[in-house]
Amino acid sequence: MAASWVLVWNNPKVHTPERRKTWLACGEHREYLEQFLGVRGFLKEVVAFTDWRP
């Protein structure tokens, strides 16, 4: 499946506050990855791939 979402995250124990990491996700896996990052407090935002500007 093609990526349609960008999950933007940061691990505050490892990264500086302004650092942003990204994971790409298809619609089928977006919710799982959002939950994975969310319960850890890492998720910053979710953006549609077509709207993503690094």
Side-chain angles (χ1 to χ4, degrees):
M1 291 192 169
S4 52
W5 297 98
V6 180
L7 290 85
V8 183
W9 63 280
N10 169 303
N11 179 343
K13 291 182 180 178
V14 178
H15 306 116
T16 58
E18 65 279 352
R19 174 93 186 261
R20 293 294 182 263
K21 306 277 286 181
T22 56
W23 281 354
L24 301 179
C26 64
E28 183 178 338
H29 294 100
R30 173 190 169 182
E31 185 177 340
Y32 172 79
L33 293 172
E34 262 187 88
Q35 289 176 357
F36 179 88
L37 293 169
V39 297
R40 291 162 177 78
F42 296 173
L43 186 63
K44 300 301 179 191
E45 66 179 317
V46 178
V47 181
F49 184 74
T50 55
D51 296 334
W52 175 244
R53 301 291 177 259

